[in-house]
Amino acid sequence: MFFFYIPSNTLLESNQYVRCVLIAFCKAFDTVDHTILVRKLFFLKMPAFIMQWIMLFLTNRTQATRLSFHLSSHLPINRSIVQGSSIGPTLFIMSAHDLRPLDILNYLITYADDTTLLCPPTPLTTAELEMAHVIS
């Protein structure tokens, strides 16, 4: 995860106002793509045995839906991290660690699945473009 320490008064001392967008990734753990996560973990140069353990944790999982007494067929899962697992929050953080603002004047402050976007009034990139970037 990439953290910035920004004293709360620094941006306000040099700007008339600062736009602050609070982002709570809804169902964040459900959005993690296994293929992308494994690629990111590979570039972090983790030991092979840890990568194998994580891949075993993520693969060969299925999901079914129950409605009353009816159970759907089991389908493979290629996204999501098991919530309530010990490694789940860490894997989410690793999947989002490379999220950066488009503009060097804007700040993204991230903690687990909560992110705050701070934009001074005169950035080169608007808050709307930054949000589109975060969403993509």
Side-chain angles (χ1 to χ4, degrees), residues 2-4 6 11 15 17-21 23 99-109 115-134:
F2 198 74
F3 292 98
F4 285 107
I6 305 168
L11 287 175
N15 296 285
Y17 65 91
V18 175
R19 289 168 289 169
C20 178
V21 180
I23 306 162
L99 180 61
R100 304 281 188 274
L102 296 171
D103 189 335
I104 61 170
L105 297 177
N106 296 335
Y107 292 96
L108 274 174
I109 304 168
T115 300
T116 302
L117 172 63
L118 299 174
C119 298
T122 58
L124 301 173
T125 305
T126 66
E128 293 78 16
L129 285 175
E130 288 285 6
M131 282 301 301
H133 171 67
V134 168

Side-chain angles (χ1 to χ4, degrees), residues 35-59:
T35 305
I36 295 170
L37 174 60
V38 169
R39 190 177 328 125
K40 288 180 179 187
L41 294 174
F42 177 77
F43 285 112
L44 291 176
K45 299 184 178 166
M46 289 192 163
F49 73 94
I50 293 176
M51 282 292 294
Q52 289 173 339
W53 180 74
I54 291 171
M55 289 178 71
L56 283 172
F57 177 76
L58 295 173
T59 57

Side-chain angles (χ1 to χ4, degrees), residues 2-97:
F2 198 74
F3 292 98
F4 285 107
Y5 171 70
I6 305 168
S8 58
N9 59 354
T10 302
L11 287 175
L12 287 175
E13 284 178 0
S14 56
N15 296 285
Q16 188 174 13
Y17 65 91
V18 175
R19 289 168 289 169
C20 178
V21 180
L22 303 174
I23 306 162
F25 288 102
C26 197
K27 299 192 178 240
F29 286 58
D30 294 339
T31 64
V32 176
D33 183 295
H34 296 170
T35 305
I36 295 170
L37 174 60
V38 169
R39 190 177 328 125
K40 288 180 179 187
L41 294 174
F42 177 77
F43 285 112
L44 291 176
K45 299 184 178 166
M46 289 192 163
F49 73 94
I50 293 176
M51 282 292 294
Q52 289 173 339
W53 180 74
I54 291 171
M55 289 178 71
L56 283 172
F57 177 76
L58 295 173
T59 57
N60 296 323
R61 293 191 173 274
T62 61
Q63 178 176 325
T65 303
R66 179 188 307 252
L67 178 61
S68 190
F69 294 106
H70 303 285
L71 183 66
S72 71
S73 59
H74 287 260
L75 296 173
I77 298 173
N78 61 0
R79 287 183 179 260
S80 84
I81 298 170
V82 178
Q83 292 188 23
S85 64
S86 299
I87 195 167
T90 302
L91 290 177
F92 178 78
I93 289 169
M94 289 177 169
S95 72
H97 87 279

